[in-house]
Amino acid sequence: MQLFGEQSAPLIGIDISSAAVKVLQLSKSAGRYRVEHYAVEPLPANPTGDKSAVQTEVIGAAIKRAVAKSGSKSKHAAVAISGSSVITKVITVTGGVDDQAMEEQVFDEASNHIPYQMEEVSLDFEVLGPIPNTESVQVMIAAARTENVEARQAELEIAGLEAKVVDVEVFALENAFKLIFNQLDIPAGGLTAVVDIGANLTTLNVIKEGRSIYSREQVFGGKQLSEEIMRRYGLSFSESGAAKKLGGLPESYESEVLEPFKEGVAQQISRLLQFFYSGSDYSRVDQIVLAGGTASIAGLDQVVEQHLGVSTMTANPIASMTVSPRVQAHALAADAPALLIACGLALRSFD
């Protein structure tokens, strides 16, 4: 199983988070991407934390519904496993050897860095390039327990799909980063903090020259806002989720619930960045990019920018794409900040 994967046939990018399945398929013409198919399908509360066969069925069924809703007929998919279940590392090996010798070197060296038996692991690698003035090359390895890769394959099989690429979320993010790069205002060699705020987890990736140099997760997300709406207004979880998107809450919601939540998001981002600064030679990032479903909250970018004193924008990976008439453009635009990983996976069609 390829963790980096190369494809030419159209792939459906399928991003599976704890709260939803996001499906996206792209085409490319004259150097420009077009959104051909897209859908978002909610998942029952936090199924991905449970690896039981029942939850595999639940996720598989949700993928099937999402693909049907999107209208895609493709049977090939690119899917990702989360960073927390993947070991990535840059290692050094001797260059100038044939493919088989390179593979043997990488596997030998990788076994020194992976805390599992190698027979339990799916491993792939990518040669990053030579180290100046040496005969060595740097190689990025990605290793995941085979059971995690097989779980993703099983979920897709339930939906009638084949996993052509099993990627790693951080690599999918790097792949999608080029879609937003022209929207950034950073100096050459500058640092971009991509903060993906999901339902349950907030993930910080610090990107330098297109590669993630730091990643950290924190348990915090949009679910906290939903729970506060439930508590305040006596709504069910699904009702609170709908009210967040569609409105209809009392006037006091804005000042008593939403604004404090936005400030809480800014504090969480500040805390994540402090972890990065304390463990690196850096003391500042040049720009913050908000992604994930929670990033769609109006004015959140302004609150973060004000609190942290760093230019902040909301991710829009589809900004320069055209859209098929069959796609609901308004819904797609609303979901755009949550589609970074799905975009990165869909782009594997063109590797």
Side-chain angles (χ1 to χ4, degrees), residues 38 291-292 296 314-319 330-341 343:
Y38 135 86
S296 300
T314 302
N316 186 359
I318 59 162
H330 179 73
L332 176 68
D335 284 324
L339 296 176
L340 260 185
I341 301 292
C343 280

Side-chain angles (χ1 to χ4, degrees), residues 200-214:
N200 301 292
L201 279 182
T202 295
T203 306
L204 165 68
N205 276 283
V206 180
I207 310 284
K208 181 179 182 180
E209 295 172 338
R211 290 207 174 268
S212 175
I213 61 168
Y214 177 86

Side-chain angles (χ1 to χ4, degrees), residues 85-99:
S85 61
V86 179
I87 297 164
T88 59
K89 196 167 186 69
V90 176
I91 62 172
T92 301
V93 298
T94 304
V97 298
D98 63 32
D99 289 350

Side-chain angles (χ1 to χ4, degrees), residues 89-112:
K89 196 167 186 69
V90 176
I91 62 172
T92 301
V93 298
T94 304
V97 298
D98 63 32
D99 289 350
Q100 186 176 342
M102 174 64 73
E103 193 168 305
E104 288 171 2
Q105 277 195 88
V106 169
F107 273 72
D108 283 346
E109 181 62 22
S111 64
N112 298 323

Side-chain angles (χ1 to χ4, degrees), residues 238-281:
S238 60
E239 287 170 341
S240 71
K244 270 199 304 188
K245 285 190 173 181
L246 305 174
L249 291 165
E251 283 183 25
S252 61
Y253 167 67
E254 192 85 21
S255 60
E256 293 182 8
V257 179
L258 188 58
E259 287 305 320
F261 175 76
K262 289 181 188 176
E263 288 171 13
V265 170
Q267 289 166 4
Q268 293 291 334
I269 295 172
S270 177
R271 185 179 301 170
L272 282 165
L273 286 171
Q274 290 307 320
F275 279 119
F276 167 60
Y277 299 144
S278 66
S280 74
D281 296 331

Side-chain angles (χ1 to χ4, degrees), residues 276-344:
F276 167 60
Y277 299 144
S278 66
S280 74
D281 296 331
Y282 300 101
S283 59
R284 183 173 173 80
V285 294
D286 296 287
Q287 191 154 13
I288 295 169
V289 176
L290 303 181
T294 303
S296 300
I297 294 174
L300 180 60
D301 51 356
Q302 294 164 336
V303 171
V304 171
E305 182 167 325
Q306 186 180 341
H307 275 258
L308 276 70
V310 178
S311 173
T312 303
M313 59 170 270
T314 302
N316 186 359
I318 59 162
S320 61
M321 297 185 189
T322 56
V323 179
S324 162
R326 68 172 76 86
V327 171
Q328 292 184 317
H330 179 73
L332 176 68
D335 284 324
L339 296 176
L340 260 185
I341 301 292
C343 280

Side-chain angles (χ1 to χ4, degrees), residues 122-293:
S122 293
L123 184 139
D124 204 356
F125 66 92
E126 185 172 58
V127 178
L128 301 179
I131 300 172
N133 305 317
T134 73
E135 294 181 355
S136 301
V137 293
Q138 285 193 318
V139 176
M140 168 73 81
I141 60 169
R145 296 194 72 157
T146 301
E147 64 184 36
N148 293 332
V149 176
E150 289 174 346
R152 281 287 182 255
Q153 291 173 301
E155 290 155 7
L156 291 180
E157 281 170 14
I158 290 166
L161 302 173
E162 182 184 352
K164 284 291 185 180
V165 177
V166 179
D167 210 336
V168 179
E169 283 183 2
V170 68
F171 298 149
L173 172 65
E174 289 175 356
N175 207 28
F177 187 72
K178 59 193 173 196
L179 297 173
I180 62 169
F181 183 75
N182 289 337
Q183 302 165 32
L184 303 177
D185 182 19
I186 60 169
L191 300 184
T192 307
V194 180
V195 184
D196 191 316
I197 313 160
N200 301 292
L201 279 182
T202 295
T203 306
L204 165 68
N205 276 283
V206 180
I207 310 284
K208 181 179 182 180
E209 295 172 338
R211 290 207 174 268
S212 175
I213 61 168
Y214 177 86
S215 183
R216 187 181 178 97
E217 291 179 346
Q218 202 152 284
V219 179
F220 177 84
K223 188 178 176 186
Q224 268 91 333
L225 179 57
S226 297
E227 287 171 346
E228 183 61 14
I229 293 170
M230 289 167 64
R231 191 181 70 77
R232 288 251 182 171
Y233 305 115
L235 300 177
S236 70
F237 189 75
S238 60
E239 287 170 341
S240 71
K244 270 199 304 188
K245 285 190 173 181
L246 305 174
L249 291 165
E251 283 183 25
S252 61
Y253 167 67
E254 192 85 21
S255 60
E256 293 182 8
V257 179
L258 188 58
E259 287 305 320
F261 175 76
K262 289 181 188 176
E263 288 171 13
V265 170
Q267 289 166 4
Q268 293 291 334
I269 295 172
S270 177
R271 185 179 301 170
L272 282 165
L273 286 171
Q274 290 307 320
F275 279 119
F276 167 60
Y277 299 144
S278 66
S280 74
D281 296 331
Y282 300 101
S283 59
R284 183 173 173 80
V285 294
D286 296 287
Q287 191 154 13
I288 295 169
V289 176
L290 303 181

